[in-house]
Amino acid sequence: MIKLSQINKRYPNGHEALKDVSFDVAQGEMVFLAGHSGAGKSTLFKLITRIEKPTSGQLFVDQQNVSRMRDSKVALLRREVGVIFQDHKLLMDRTVFDNVALPLIVIGMPHDEIKKRVRAALNKVGLDGKGGQKPVTLSGGEQQRVGIARAVINRPNILLADEPTGNLDETLSDEIIDIFADFNRVGVTVLIATHDLRQVERLGKRTLHLEHGELIGDYRHASSGSQTSMKNTDEARTDG
Amino acid sequence: MGSYFARHVQVFLATLGDMVRTPISTINTVVIIAITLLLPSLLYVVIKSSQGLSDGWQGRPQMSVFLQKQVSASEAKQIFQEIQLHPSIELAEFITPQQAIEEFRLLSGSVSLDEELAFLGTNPLPPSIVLMPNKAAAKAESLNELKEQLEKFEGIDTIRLDLDWTERFNAILNVLTRIGLLLSGLLAMALVLIVGNTIKLLIHNRRDEIEITKLVGGTNTFVRRPFLYYGTLFGLFGALVSLVFLLIAANLVEQPLSKLASVYQRQSLLHEIQAMEVLCIIAAGAMLGWLSARWSVAQHLWKIKPS
């Protein structure tokens, strides 16, 4: 589903965000991307959604070569990839409904269908009856749920979540991550960037560990918490 | 197709709603556009009105044929009938000495000339014929030839050709038309800059929305659509308001112009704007607004990328 081959990313200021990163994520897999701030997690997401282009290497998303993708095709790629941001990226002057409906408006879906889908998505993330409210009236956790509803409304094949639990307490974090696990259970490929190792250990999913732009580990935690395998082991990719 | 149309209607209504929600800035922009469109429209009306005045003379010179004073009324009529039959003459009007004195009274603004006439003892003005040559004879050479031919008629005293004045008037109109075109071009550029700058500010204000729309898969066409509607609507409303201003301006000058018109024996000098001209002004406003928005969007929208 996602394949990176010797990806390097150097920003114009000379900062090397990713160095020779290679890995595969299979369809229906749920993978954690772990690492400290500045490890390259966000850059990786920017490359997958073509917000940035790699300096070198090949990146495939759903068999499309994103590194060589024409600008006119980028919008179509982004419709296949739902993204959740730590800062939610919501339109504060619009209602929750408007925010969640945006990806459907963009593809020109009829209004009646949009209403049905938004209602279902809000129900799924536990925000029933909050469609008419402005995001500013919601708590941080609820705002994150709006972001999730918006990311999944278009039924994407891939979900990327960049530090989705960054500002949330443990209970809320668990709830949010469980929503992602639910989507993964129905076949959505999920990639979650986090430095919250508790979540990684709790779910026992495959984990890619980035440090200073390098992939230093590709392993799997057992849900009990014990680390079972190390870098680039094929056994680690049998999840999902 | 229905969905495509529905999407446009949706964006159109949303844009209209946004404009209504920010009335002050919308009114400011619309009034500035209206004033920008008003200036060339006013100049157009002035030129058209002047052309109308010139068209009163068919854009052709007039020839005034003054008969000798001793010519009797029946002889004068006969000369008039003979001249009327000349192939180069399109229109001929016989003016009796009495009509001439009435016209003089009107032009000079004198209520009564009785005292002056009493002093002179008789009407000093001769009978005359005002001629308008046909198109073929309207050139300077042909006119001189016609003048020479008419001078041979018996009973004719002098012939005056009003060629210089009409030529000068038409030359002034030509200069005015050129100035009008130049001014229209410059003001069209100003309008593009005004609307373009407004769209630039709108793009800046909606930066977050643009970024997020692009992040969730909005194409450039989708993102720029509301801004194109903004430009078109600004231009459209600006044109409509400029027409209102034009009507107000026309009403303000109508009375003094009517007085002037009466001097020229005309009902009105002011060019009445036709439905097609109204449509042209509206279309020009909308088109310029759309072009400005398109230009501004091309300049600024691509710079906004999701981060």
Coordinates of all heavy atoms in Angstrom, one line a residue, chain B residues 62-115:
Chain B
Q62 N -23.9 72.2 -44.2 CA -25.1 72.8 -44.7 C -24.7 74.0 -45.6 O -23.6 74.5 -45.5 CB -25.9 73.4 -43.5 CG -26.7 72.4 -42.7 CD -27.6 73.0 -41.7 OE1 -27.5 74.2 -41.4 NE2 -28.5 72.2 -41.2
M63 N -25.6 74.3 -46.4 CA -25.3 75.4 -47.4 C -26.4 76.4 -47.2 O -27.6 76.0 -47.3 CB -25.2 74.9 -48.8 CG -24.5 75.7 -49.7 SD -24.4 74.9 -51.3 CE -23.0 74.0 -51.2
S64 N -26.1 77.6 -46.9 CA -27.2 78.7 -46.8 C -27.1 79.5 -48.0 O -26.1 80.2 -48.4 CB -26.9 79.5 -45.5 OG -26.9 78.7 -44.4
V65 N -28.3 79.5 -48.7 CA -28.4 80.3 -50.0 C -29.2 81.6 -49.7 O -30.4 81.4 -49.3 CB -29.0 79.5 -51.1 CG1 -29.2 80.3 -52.3 CG2 -28.2 78.2 -51.3
F66 N -28.6 82.7 -49.7 CA -29.4 84.0 -49.4 C -29.8 84.6 -50.7 O -29.0 84.8 -51.6 CB -28.5 85.0 -48.6 CG -28.1 84.4 -47.3 CD1 -26.9 83.8 -47.1 CD2 -29.0 84.5 -46.2 CE1 -26.5 83.3 -45.8 CE2 -28.7 84.0 -45.0 CZ -27.4 83.4 -44.8
L67 N -31.1 84.8 -50.8 CA -31.7 85.4 -52.1 C -31.5 86.9 -52.0 O -31.4 87.5 -50.9 CB -33.1 85.0 -52.2 CG -33.4 83.5 -52.2 CD1 -34.9 83.2 -52.5 CD2 -32.5 82.7 -53.2
Q68 N -31.6 87.5 -53.2 CA -31.5 89.0 -53.2 C -32.8 89.6 -52.6 O -33.9 89.0 -52.7 CB -31.4 89.4 -54.7 CG -30.1 89.1 -55.3 CD -30.0 89.2 -56.8 OE1 -31.1 89.4 -57.4 NE2 -28.8 89.1 -57.4
K69 N -32.7 90.7 -52.0 CA -33.8 91.3 -51.2 C -35.0 91.6 -52.1 O -36.1 91.6 -51.7 CB -33.3 92.5 -50.4 CG -32.6 92.2 -49.1 CD -33.0 93.1 -48.0 CE -34.4 92.9 -47.6 NZ -34.8 93.7 -46.5
Q70 N -34.6 92.0 -53.3 CA -35.7 92.5 -54.2 C -36.5 91.3 -54.8 O -37.5 91.6 -55.5 CB -35.2 93.4 -55.3 CG -34.2 92.8 -56.3 CD -32.7 92.9 -55.8 OE1 -32.5 93.0 -54.6 NE2 -31.8 92.9 -56.7
V71 N -36.0 90.1 -54.6 CA -36.8 88.9 -55.2 C -38.1 88.8 -54.5 O -38.2 88.9 -53.2 CB -35.9 87.7 -54.9 CG1 -36.8 86.4 -55.2 CG2 -34.7 87.6 -55.8
S72 N -39.2 88.7 -55.3 CA -40.5 88.6 -54.8 C -40.8 87.2 -54.2 O -40.0 86.3 -54.4 CB -41.6 88.8 -55.9 OG -41.5 87.8 -56.8
A73 N -41.8 87.1 -53.4 CA -42.1 85.8 -52.8 C -42.4 84.7 -53.8 O -41.9 83.6 -53.6 CB -43.4 86.0 -51.9
S74 N -43.0 85.0 -54.9 CA -43.3 84.0 -55.9 C -42.0 83.6 -56.6 O -41.8 82.4 -56.9 CB -44.4 84.5 -56.9 OG -43.9 85.6 -57.5
E75 N -41.2 84.6 -56.8 CA -39.9 84.3 -57.5 C -39.0 83.4 -56.5 O -38.3 82.5 -57.0 CB -39.1 85.6 -57.8 CG -39.7 86.3 -59.0 CD -39.1 87.7 -59.2 OE1 -38.6 88.3 -58.2 OE2 -39.0 88.1 -60.4
A76 N -39.0 83.8 -55.3 CA -38.3 83.0 -54.3 C -38.7 81.6 -54.2 O -37.9 80.6 -54.2 CB -38.4 83.7 -52.9
K77 N -40.0 81.4 -54.3 CA -40.6 80.0 -54.3 C -40.1 79.2 -55.5 O -39.8 78.0 -55.4 CB -42.1 80.1 -54.2 CG -42.7 80.4 -52.9 CD -42.8 79.1 -52.0 CE -43.3 79.5 -50.6 NZ -43.0 78.4 -49.7
Q78 N -40.1 79.9 -56.6 CA -39.7 79.3 -57.9 C -38.2 78.8 -57.8 O -37.9 77.7 -58.2 CB -39.9 80.2 -59.0 CG -40.0 79.5 -60.4 CD -40.2 80.5 -61.5 OE1 -40.6 81.6 -61.3 NE2 -39.8 80.0 -62.7
I79 N -37.4 79.7 -57.3 CA -36.0 79.4 -57.1 C -35.8 78.2 -56.2 O -35.1 77.3 -56.4 CB -35.2 80.6 -56.6 CG1 -35.2 81.8 -57.6 CG2 -33.7 80.2 -56.2 CD1 -34.7 83.1 -57.0
F80 N -36.6 78.2 -55.1 CA -36.5 77.1 -54.1 C -36.9 75.8 -54.8 O -36.2 74.8 -54.6 CB -37.5 77.4 -53.0 CG -37.7 76.3 -52.0 CD1 -36.7 75.8 -51.3 CD2 -39.0 75.7 -51.9 CE1 -36.8 74.7 -50.4 CE2 -39.1 74.6 -51.0 CZ -38.1 74.1 -50.3
Q81 N -38.0 75.8 -55.6 CA -38.4 74.6 -56.3 C -37.4 74.1 -57.3 O -37.1 72.9 -57.4 CB -39.8 74.8 -57.0 CG -40.9 74.8 -56.1 CD -42.2 75.4 -56.6 OE1 -42.2 75.8 -57.8 NE2 -43.2 75.5 -55.8
E82 N -36.7 75.0 -58.0 CA -35.7 74.6 -58.9 C -34.5 74.0 -58.2 O -33.9 73.0 -58.6 CB -35.2 75.8 -59.7 CG -36.2 76.2 -60.8 CD -35.7 77.5 -61.5 OE1 -34.5 77.7 -61.6 OE2 -36.6 78.2 -62.0
I83 N -34.1 74.6 -57.1 CA -33.0 74.1 -56.3 C -33.3 72.7 -55.7 O -32.4 71.8 -55.8 CB -32.6 75.1 -55.2 CG1 -31.9 76.3 -55.8 CG2 -31.7 74.5 -54.1 CD1 -31.5 77.4 -54.8
Q84 N -34.5 72.6 -55.3 CA -34.9 71.3 -54.7 C -34.8 70.1 -55.7 O -34.5 69.0 -55.3 CB -36.4 71.4 -54.3 CG -36.6 71.5 -52.9 CD -38.1 71.3 -52.5 OE1 -39.0 71.8 -53.3 NE2 -38.4 70.8 -51.4
L85 N -34.9 70.5 -57.0 CA -34.8 69.4 -58.0 C -33.4 69.0 -58.4 O -33.1 68.1 -59.1 CB -35.6 69.9 -59.3 CG -37.1 70.0 -59.1 CD1 -37.7 70.6 -60.4 CD2 -37.7 68.7 -58.8
H86 N -32.4 69.8 -57.8 CA -31.0 69.6 -58.2 C -30.6 68.2 -57.6 O -31.0 67.8 -56.5 CB -30.1 70.6 -57.6 CG -28.7 70.6 -58.1 ND1 -27.8 69.7 -57.7 CD2 -28.1 71.4 -59.0 CE1 -26.7 69.9 -58.4 NE2 -26.9 71.0 -59.2
P87 N -30.0 67.3 -58.4 CA -29.7 65.9 -58.0 C -28.8 65.8 -56.8 O -28.7 64.8 -56.1 CB -29.0 65.3 -59.2 CG -28.6 66.5 -60.1 CD -29.6 67.6 -59.8
S88 N -28.0 66.9 -56.5 CA -27.1 66.8 -55.4 C -27.7 67.2 -54.1 O -27.1 67.2 -53.0 CB -25.8 67.7 -55.6 OG -25.2 67.3 -56.8
I89 N -28.9 67.6 -54.1 CA -29.6 68.2 -52.9 C -30.5 67.1 -52.3 O -31.3 66.5 -53.0 CB -30.5 69.4 -53.2 CG1 -29.6 70.5 -53.9 CG2 -31.1 70.0 -51.9 CD1 -28.5 71.1 -53.2
E90 N -30.3 66.9 -51.0 CA -31.1 65.9 -50.3 C -32.3 66.6 -49.6 O -33.4 66.1 -49.7 CB -30.3 65.1 -49.3 CG -31.0 63.9 -48.7 CD -30.1 63.1 -47.8 OE1 -29.1 62.6 -48.3 OE2 -30.4 62.9 -46.6
L91 N -32.0 67.7 -49.0 CA -33.0 68.4 -48.2 C -32.8 69.9 -48.5 O -31.7 70.4 -48.6 CB -32.9 68.2 -46.7 CG -33.4 66.9 -46.1 CD1 -33.0 66.8 -44.7 CD2 -35.0 66.9 -46.2
A92 N -34.0 70.5 -48.6 CA -33.9 72.0 -48.8 C -35.1 72.6 -48.0 O -36.2 72.0 -48.0 CB -34.0 72.3 -50.2
E93 N -34.8 73.7 -47.3 CA -35.8 74.3 -46.5 C -35.8 75.8 -46.8 O -34.8 76.5 -46.8 CB -35.5 74.1 -45.0 CG -36.6 74.6 -44.1 CD -36.2 74.5 -42.6 OE1 -35.1 74.1 -42.3 OE2 -37.0 74.9 -41.8
F94 N -37.0 76.2 -47.1 CA -37.1 77.7 -47.5 C -37.4 78.4 -46.2 O -38.3 78.1 -45.4 CB -38.3 77.8 -48.5 CG -38.5 79.3 -48.9 CD1 -37.5 79.8 -49.8 CD2 -39.5 80.0 -48.5 CE1 -37.7 81.2 -50.2 CE2 -39.7 81.3 -48.9 CZ -38.8 81.9 -49.7
I95 N -36.7 79.5 -46.0 CA -36.9 80.3 -44.8 C -37.3 81.7 -45.2 O -36.5 82.4 -45.9 CB -35.6 80.3 -43.9 CG1 -35.4 78.9 -43.4 CG2 -35.8 81.3 -42.7 CD1 -34.0 78.7 -42.8
T96 N -38.5 82.1 -44.9 CA -39.0 83.5 -45.2 C -38.3 84.5 -44.3 O -37.8 84.2 -43.3 CB -40.5 83.6 -45.0 OG1 -40.8 83.4 -43.6 CG2 -41.2 82.5 -45.8
P97 N -38.3 85.8 -44.8 CA -37.7 86.8 -43.9 C -38.3 86.8 -42.5 O -37.6 87.1 -41.5 CB -38.0 88.1 -44.6 CG -38.1 87.7 -46.1 CD -38.7 86.3 -46.1
Q98 N -39.6 86.6 -42.4 CA -40.3 86.6 -41.1 C -39.8 85.4 -40.3 O -39.5 85.6 -39.1 CB -41.8 86.4 -41.4 CG -42.7 86.6 -40.1 CD -42.4 88.0 -39.4 OE1 -42.1 89.0 -40.1 NE2 -42.3 87.9 -38.1
Q99 N -39.7 84.2 -40.9 CA -39.1 83.0 -40.1 C -37.7 83.3 -39.7 O -37.3 83.0 -38.6 CB -39.1 81.8 -41.0 CG -40.5 81.2 -41.2 CD -40.4 80.0 -42.2 OE1 -39.9 80.2 -43.3 NE2 -41.0 78.9 -41.8
A100 N -36.9 84.0 -40.5 CA -35.6 84.3 -40.2 C -35.5 85.2 -39.0 O -34.7 85.0 -38.1 CB -34.9 84.9 -41.4
I101 N -36.4 86.2 -39.0 CA -36.3 87.2 -37.8 C -36.8 86.5 -36.6 O -36.2 86.8 -35.5 CB -37.2 88.4 -38.2 CG1 -36.7 89.6 -37.3 CG2 -38.7 88.3 -37.9 CD1 -35.5 90.3 -37.9
E102 N -37.7 85.5 -36.7 CA -38.1 84.8 -35.5 C -37.0 83.9 -34.9 O -36.8 83.9 -33.7 CB -39.3 83.9 -35.9 CG -40.7 84.6 -36.1 CD -41.1 85.3 -34.8 OE1 -40.9 84.8 -33.7 OE2 -41.6 86.5 -35.0
E103 N -36.3 83.3 -35.9 CA -35.1 82.5 -35.5 C -34.0 83.3 -34.8 O -33.5 83.0 -33.8 CB -34.6 81.8 -36.7 CG -33.7 80.6 -36.3 CD -33.3 79.8 -37.5 OE1 -34.1 79.5 -38.4 OE2 -32.1 79.4 -37.6
F104 N -33.8 84.5 -35.4 CA -32.9 85.4 -34.8 C -33.3 85.8 -33.4 O -32.4 85.9 -32.5 CB -32.7 86.7 -35.7 CG -31.7 87.7 -35.3 CD1 -30.4 87.4 -35.3 CD2 -32.2 88.9 -34.7 CE1 -29.5 88.4 -34.8 CE2 -31.3 89.8 -34.2 CZ -29.9 89.5 -34.3
R105 N -34.6 86.1 -33.3 CA -35.1 86.5 -32.0 C -34.8 85.4 -30.9 O -34.4 85.6 -29.8 CB -36.6 86.7 -32.1 CG -37.2 87.5 -31.0 CD -38.7 87.3 -30.9 NE -39.4 87.6 -32.2 CZ -39.9 88.8 -32.5 NH1 -39.8 89.8 -31.8 NH2 -40.5 88.9 -33.7
L106 N -35.0 84.2 -31.4 CA -34.8 83.0 -30.5 C -33.3 82.8 -30.1 O -33.0 82.6 -29.0 CB -35.3 81.7 -31.2 CG -35.6 80.5 -30.3 CD1 -36.8 80.7 -29.5 CD2 -35.9 79.3 -31.2
L107 N -32.5 82.9 -31.1 CA -31.1 82.7 -30.9 C -30.4 83.8 -30.1 O -29.6 83.6 -29.3 CB -30.3 82.6 -32.2 CG -30.6 81.3 -33.0 CD1 -30.0 81.4 -34.4 CD2 -29.9 80.1 -32.3
S108 N -30.9 85.1 -30.3 CA -30.3 86.2 -29.6 C -30.9 86.3 -28.2 O -30.3 87.0 -27.4 CB -30.5 87.5 -30.4 OG -31.9 87.7 -30.4
G109 N -32.0 85.6 -28.0 CA -32.6 85.7 -26.6 C -33.5 86.9 -26.4 O -34.0 87.1 -25.4
S110 N -33.6 87.7 -27.4 CA -34.4 89.0 -27.3 C -35.9 88.6 -27.4 O -36.3 87.8 -28.2 CB -34.1 89.9 -28.4 OG -32.8 90.3 -28.4
V111 N -36.6 89.1 -26.4 CA -38.0 88.8 -26.4 C -38.7 89.5 -27.5 O -39.6 89.0 -28.2 CB -38.6 89.2 -25.0 CG1 -40.1 89.0 -25.0 CG2 -37.9 88.5 -23.9
S112 N -38.3 90.7 -27.8 CA -39.0 91.5 -28.8 C -38.0 92.3 -29.6 O -37.0 92.8 -29.1 CB -40.0 92.4 -28.2 OG -40.5 93.3 -29.2
L113 N -38.1 92.3 -30.9 CA -37.2 93.1 -31.8 C -38.0 94.3 -32.4 O -37.6 94.8 -33.4 CB -36.6 92.2 -32.9 CG -35.6 91.2 -32.4 CD1 -35.3 90.2 -33.6 CD2 -34.3 91.8 -32.0
D114 N -39.2 94.5 -31.8 CA -40.1 95.5 -32.5 C -39.4 96.9 -32.6 O -39.5 97.5 -33.6 CB -41.4 95.6 -31.7 CG -42.2 94.3 -31.7 OD1 -41.8 93.5 -32.6 OD2 -43.1 94.1 -30.9
E115 N -38.7 97.2 -31.5 CA -38.1 98.6 -31.5 C -37.1 98.7 -32.6 O -37.1 99.7 -33.4 CB -37.5 98.8 -30.2 CG -38.4 99.4 -29.1 CD -37.7 99.8 -27.8 OE1 -36.5 100.2 -27.9 OE2 -38.3 99.6 -26.8

